[in-house]
Amino acid sequence: MANIISDETIEYVGILAKLELSDEQKEQAKKDMGRMLDYIDKLGELDTEGVEPMSHVFPVQNVFREDVITNSDTREELLVNAPEEKDGMFMVPRTFE
Amino acid sequence: MSLLDMTAVELAAAIKAGKTTAVEATKEVLAQIEAKEQLYHCYVTLDKEAALAQAEAVQAKIEAGELTGPLAGVPVAIKDNMCTEGMLTTCSSKILGNFVPTFSAEAVLNLQKAGAIILGKTNMDEFAMGSTTETSAYGETKNPWNPEHVPGGSSGGSAAAVAAEECFYALGSDTGGSIRQPASFCGVVGMKPTYGTVSRYGLIAYGSSLDQIGPLAKDVTDCATILEVIASHDTKDSTSVERQDTDFTKALVEDVKGMRIGIPNDYFGEGLDEEVKSAVLQAAKVLGEKGAIIEYFDLSLVDYAIPTYYTIAAAEASSNLERFDGIKYGYRTEDYAGLHNMYKKSRSEGFGEEVKRRIMLGSFVLSSGYYDAYYLKALRVKALIKKAFDEAFAKYDVILGPVAPTTAPKLGESLADPIQMYLGDIYTIAVNLAGLPGISLPCGKDSKGLPIGLQLIGDCFQEKKLIQTAYTYEKARGEFPMAAKEVC
């Protein structure tokens, strides 16, 4: 395997991805990601010098509209799906100590 | 002829002519679900009472002359990644196990305006990440041709429901082949339109630059009819394209004289099953006999499509799935210490293995230090792949090939080796990268009795050429009965 994923890297990816992994899961993730990157490295065979990265296949332009409210107030309905709510707001754990 | 054997268009015509009613059709299909669902498990959510209530309301409107369209009164199944107001929408994930949307996807609304009756939500790979429907958090769907085999994925529930006649047609979504491949494995017709043709509003995003909604149906006529209804320009989807040529049923013409069909040599190399190969080439021969000009050519870059796709799709998925944070909707963990621990635990407990694998890969390829080498590199190769298709479509109207290298694998054989599973997407995936339309339709069966799919690929906005070619082939091929009629 050409790509060896270090403990630091998988720790960092866990922070970016907001995922908590057990030690066993970390080992598996290191192996899986290493294999996948080995496979993706195949793209290195292609010379892409001077090729523009293509985000959209069609020429797209910014879509503008007037800043006018078209939807109605659905706060009550939306809050029904919230795991926790209080006084018409989403309830989150304490953010500052 | 049982109502269940009718296509969607035939059923709507029978209802319109007063030979049956939307209520009668809904009752029959609910009875079929009752009889078959335990074995096949096509649905995650069913609402029988709501379906009957819709059927009565729609029937009244048909009788009053308010609903006259070609799908009025026909029961449909919706893939569980499209929001349906008031009906559970899980994406086959634990993290959305209790999510009831307050609005419906635009494609679903378009169907409802046309008089569709929504039966329920179909099973899928979790967040559409998978090729077998086995990554669903709610159990696997079985292939109605042989329940020891997978239905394909990720729209496996939709394809199996059509094949088992547990609905008259279904909506699916296709990010790398997720409509065309299960259609192929289940012996139904599935179509992925040009990117931007169907609004993605209300489709829970996986890879936004690749995702498109499309129909799974019993024949090409149904497919064209459904696509005509769901295609719309929508200001709520910033990548929605304004098209004037969405009268797709106009292309249901039996004629391929002079149609230039290219067969990529690179689609018939190593890894392709012999029986699949011969069935697909036989279909090409049929089209040649009908007057199409068949030529072989080198498409190039085929082996690079899968690594390009998994880089881009994982990157977009890692960003799109950040919204599942245990605050606004969905699952929240029981015990946590502070905000960040709550995020991490909710997501780790709520997402399945394949989803986590792709989120981590995506986070990695987008992280500073690796962004240029992986993500931008993939976007550059995507540009090369698009160019290869542009060159092909300068010479050909349609590209013809297989949908997948094999017929449906057995349950439990695919997930152990993710890369091996990804390789099964080799013929479908480039179509999404280049934003092209593609259709899959049955062209035979293998010695195990499992269906084989033929894939036709068109240039952007050339759905009509695809529909015309597919329709002509279908007429020449003759009837291809649904699994429900053949084996159930």
Side-chain angles (χ1 to χ4, degrees):
Chain A
M1 193 155 86
N3 285 283
I4 308 287
I5 306 297
S6 66
D7 289 330
E8 292 74 36
T9 302
I10 210 73
E11 202 67 45
Y12 180 54
V13 167
I15 292 168
L16 291 175
K18 294 228 182 315
L19 291 171
E20 190 176 69
L21 304 179
S22 68
D23 288 344
E24 199 182 316
Q25 286 170 325
K26 271 181 204 160
E27 286 311 307
Q28 187 61 42
K30 278 160 65 178
K31 238 190 316 187
D32 287 349
M33 197 181 296
R35 273 195 73 200
M36 200 56 202
L37 293 176
D38 286 349
Y39 181 55
I40 291 172
D41 281 341
K42 187 174 173 58
L43 299 182
E45 295 168 7
L46 293 173
D47 180 8
T48 51
E49 190 70 39
V51 179
E52 277 295 305
M54 180 185 261
S55 303
H56 289 280
V57 282
F58 309 132
V60 283
Q61 285 157 350
N62 238 335
V63 181
F64 292 100
R65 62 168 170 79
E66 292 302 314
D67 189 14
V68 180
I69 297 168
T70 52
N71 57 337
S72 55
D73 179 3
T74 53
R75 179 154 84 170
E76 292 305 316
E77 291 94 310
L78 288 170
L79 281 168
V80 170
N81 275 309
E84 271 190 88
E85 57 120 354
K86 191 182 176 187
D87 302 334
M89 289 176 278
F90 294 116
M91 179 107 153
V92 298
R94 183 187 292 275
T95 311
F96 298 102
E97 296 300 329
Chain B
M1 180 161 145
S2 154
L3 283 186
L4 293 179
D5 294 334
M6 290 185 174
T7 66
V9 167
E10 284 168 357
L11 176 64
I15 294 170
K16 201 172 179 178
K19 289 179 191 152
T20 185
T21 66
V23 179
E24 201 54 47
T26 305
K27 280 184 182 160
E28 277 222 28
V29 83
L30 289 175
Q32 175 77 350
I33 290 170
E34 189 78 36
K36 303 291 178 190
E37 185 58 8
Q38 202 168 0
L39 175 57
Y40 300 132
H41 186 45
C42 304
Y43 289 89
V44 177
T45 300
L46 276 164
D47 194 339
K48 298 181 182 181
E49 279 173 31
L52 283 171
Q54 290 172 66
E56 277 171 25
V58 164
Q59 181 63 31
K61 283 189 181 172
I62 291 169
E63 284 169 19
E66 290 168 38
L67 276 173
T68 56
L71 293 175
V74 183
V76 61
I78 308 288
K79 186 177 182 180
D80 207 23
N81 59 353
M82 284 169 240
C83 288
T84 42
E85 187 178 345
M87 187 183 270
L88 197 63
T89 299
T90 72
C91 258
S92 286
S93 179
K94 186 180 165 190
I95 210 160
L96 283 177
N98 57 2
F99 176 60
V100 180
T102 57
F103 67 102
S104 289
E106 193 70 8
V108 172
L109 284 178
N110 287 342
L111 282 183
Q112 285 179 313
K113 275 183 226 153
I117 291 149
I118 294 169
L119 296 165
K121 309 298 288 291
T122 54
N123 199 16
M124 54 187 278
D125 283 294
E126 185 181 2
F127 284 101
M129 298 178 192
S131 311
T132 64
T133 311
E134 291 171 296
T135 72
S136 167
Y138 303 106
E140 57 214 16
T141 297
K142 312 259 184 3
N143 190 316
W145 288 93
N146 181 340
E148 287 178 9
H149 291 255
V150 302
S154 66
S155 310
S158 287
V162 174
E165 298 185 338
E166 291 188 39
C167 64
F168 287 90
Y169 68 102
L171 289 190
S173 67
D174 192 315
T175 306
S178 281
I179 288 174
R180 289 161 287 154
Q181 184 255 33
S184 167
F185 285 3
C186 290
V188 304
V189 183
M191 188 162 184
K192 176 219 170 278
T194 305
Y195 185 75
T197 301
V198 178
S199 168
R200 292 183 295 107
Y201 180 73
L203 172 69
I204 297 171
Y206 159 24
S208 307
S209 75
L210 309 159
D211 298 338
Q212 262 296 285
I213 293 171
L216 291 112
K218 290 180 181 175
D219 66 7
V220 176
T221 302
D222 275 7
C223 238
T225 308
I226 298 157
L227 187 57
E228 192 165 310
V229 170
I230 60 176
S232 66
H233 178 239
D234 182 8
T235 52
K236 298 188 295 308
D237 171 1
S238 62
T239 57
S240 172
V241 176
E242 196 158 9
R243 293 181 65 168
Q244 310 300 332
D245 59 341
T246 55
D247 51 345
F248 299 113
T249 50
K250 288 257 164 56
L252 294 166
V253 177
E254 204 180 332
D255 179 18
V256 286
K257 277 182 212 74
M259 189 79 82
R260 296 164 305 164
I261 297 178
I263 301 179
N265 291 313
D266 3 23
Y267 277 21
F268 290 85
E270 206 189 328
L272 179 64
D273 180 271
E274 278 301 320
E275 289 183 284
V276 173
K277 180 179 174 179
S278 80
V280 170
L281 291 179
Q282 177 59 30
K285 199 171 148 222
V286 167
L287 284 165
E289 283 161 7
K290 287 275 160 192
I293 302 155
I294 312 280
E295 270 179 33
Y296 286 83
F297 75 107
D298 292 319
L299 179 62
S300 85
L301 298 173
V302 172
D303 289 340
Y304 299 95
I306 298 176
T308 303
Y309 170 87
Y310 278 94
T311 306
I312 294 171
E316 294 184 11
S318 74
S319 173
N320 277 325
L321 271 60
E322 275 175 16
R323 70 188 53 150
F324 303 103
D325 57 5
I327 290 178
K328 301 178 293 298
Y329 38 67
Y331 174 81
R332 179 184 284 191
T333 185
E334 300 276 325
D335 299 308
Y336 48 84
L339 184 67
H340 284 277
N341 185 248
M342 190 278 285
Y343 288 148
K344 280 189 154 193
K345 283 189 75 180
S346 299
R347 289 165 60 81
S348 301
E349 292 164 16
F351 290 135
E353 293 311 311
E354 183 63 25
V355 174
K356 285 189 234 183
R357 195 178 287 135
R358 295 195 197 186
I359 291 176
M360 284 191 279
L361 179 67
S363 303
F364 180 80
V365 299
L366 288 177
S367 64
S368 68
Y370 298 100
Y371 182 85
D372 285 13
Y374 288 104
Y375 182 64
L376 282 188
K377 179 78 184 182
L379 290 185
R380 289 192 168 94
V381 178
K382 175 182 166 178
L384 297 179
I385 290 171
K386 171 79 173 146
K387 192 162 156 264
F389 276 110
D390 286 346
E391 285 164 8
F393 286 117
K395 290 182 287 180
Y396 306 110
D397 297 303
V398 170
I399 293 174
L400 179 152
V403 179
T406 64
T407 54
K410 280 198 161 169
L411 287 158
E413 282 182 351
S414 307
L415 296 188
D417 186 349
I419 291 183
Q420 200 56 40
M421 180 173 80
Y422 302 161
L423 290 175
D425 302 335
I426 187 157
Y427 310 127
T428 49
I429 230 158
V431 169
N432 299 75
L433 289 169
L436 308 170
I439 190 167
S440 159
L441 69 162
C443 66
K445 281 183 235 165
D446 70 2
S447 47
K448 289 173 279 188
L450 294 168
I452 297 168
L454 167 72
Q455 181 176 216
L456 303 171
I457 302 166
D459 200 0
C460 290
F461 309 115
Q462 298 299 325
E463 280 86 352
K464 285 184 179 172
K465 282 181 186 168
L466 285 189
I467 290 165
Q468 187 169 337
T469 308
Y471 183 75
T472 305
Y473 171 70
E474 188 181 65
K475 289 280 170 204
R477 180 203 65 198
E479 205 195 344
F480 193 94
M482 293 295 106
K485 215 170 168 187
E486 291 288 286
V487 295
C488 299

